[in-house]
Amino acid sequence: MVATITKIKRLSFKRVNYYTVEIEDGNNEFEDFMFRMNQIPEYKIQLGHILQFIKEIGESHGAKSNHFKHERGAEALPPPYYFIETEYGNYGLRLYCLRLSESVVILLNGDMKTHDYPDQCPNCKKHFQLANKLSKKIQEGIIEKTIAINEKEIEIEEDFEIYL
């Protein structure tokens, strides 16, 4: 499976630029998340909160570590200080992402978390596992200098691909 990193132009803010990943089948991870979550009326309020966090982080705060929930090599929104009362076994909507710096974040995919551990949640497992695979590959790219973070931009060659 091959993935490429793409800038989300409508999510470029004063302090943070957001990116996403496109998988070889043309699937844009963040757009898939938005489409699927918009189809479920019960998720719309939490989706709105996540989008508000994205905007606030991008405009006002920067992508500071405490604005994200750390889950192995990836991060998730909403942040750990956000709490919503839900029924037992419902941990809220999760959007997995990769915070590369205080000014660059890659938004991925997610779903409603229904288990303590995301890799045991039937909804989130595949999104969580992909986020962690991508995190590992991108960190390797940064170490090997095939990926660079410059200010609010990810610098990669035009034909750069991530092999998963």
Side-chain angles (χ1 to χ4, degrees):
M1 192 166 33
V2 178
T4 57
I5 299 171
T6 306
K7 188 174 186 177
I8 307 171
K9 292 184 171 115
R10 72 179 190 281
L11 294 180
S12 293
F13 297 101
K14 181 169 70 174
R15 306 221 26 208
V16 177
N17 280 340
Y18 291 97
Y19 292 77
T20 192
V21 169
E22 291 183 9
I23 306 298
E24 63 191 5
D25 61 6
N27 184 32
N28 176 312
E29 287 296 295
F30 181 66
E31 291 301 324
D32 179 65
F33 172 78
M34 292 295 296
F35 177 78
R36 288 182 307 103
M37 298 308 107
N38 268 312
Q39 302 304 308
I40 305 169
E42 302 84 49
Y43 294 4
K44 286 192 179 196
I45 291 174
Q46 290 185 49
L47 178 60
H49 292 168
I50 288 173
L51 294 173
Q52 184 62 36
F53 290 134
I54 289 169
K55 183 177 180 183
E56 285 176 19
I57 289 166
E59 279 295 320
S60 303
H61 308 295
K64 298 189 184 319
S65 179
N66 65 320
H67 294 302
F68 298 84
K69 181 171 177 45
H70 304 284
E71 300 202 29
R72 287 200 201 132
E75 287 83 24
L77 288 171
Y81 55 79
Y82 177 76
F83 178 78
I84 187 167
E85 286 191 40
T86 60
E87 59 197 50
Y88 177 76
N90 181 342
Y91 299 88
L93 195 60
R94 291 289 188 275
L95 171 61
Y96 294 100
C97 52
L98 306 174
R99 187 183 73 84
L100 301 183
S101 72
E102 286 192 12
S103 57
V104 175
V105 176
I106 299 175
L107 301 175
L108 297 170
N109 211 326
D111 210 318
M112 185 62 69
K113 187 176 172 197
T114 60
H115 194 281
D116 277 340
Y117 304 104
D119 54 356
Q120 294 179 14
C121 172
N123 298 337
C124 291
K125 181 178 181 174
K126 70 179 181 178
H127 306 298
F128 175 73
Q129 289 176 339
L130 178 61
N132 279 281
K133 282 181 192 175
L134 286 166
S135 175
K136 182 179 178 187
K137 293 290 188 174
I138 289 170
Q139 291 304 322
E140 288 172 3
I142 291 170
I143 290 167
E144 295 167 1
K145 300 192 186 305
T146 56
I147 299 174
I149 308 301
N150 185 7
E151 306 257 336
K152 293 180 1 186
E153 303 294 329
I154 295 177
E155 293 183 358
I156 53 177
E157 292 186 17
E158 199 169 302
D159 61 347
F160 176 81
E161 296 176 329
I162 300 168
Y163 296 94
L164 300 169

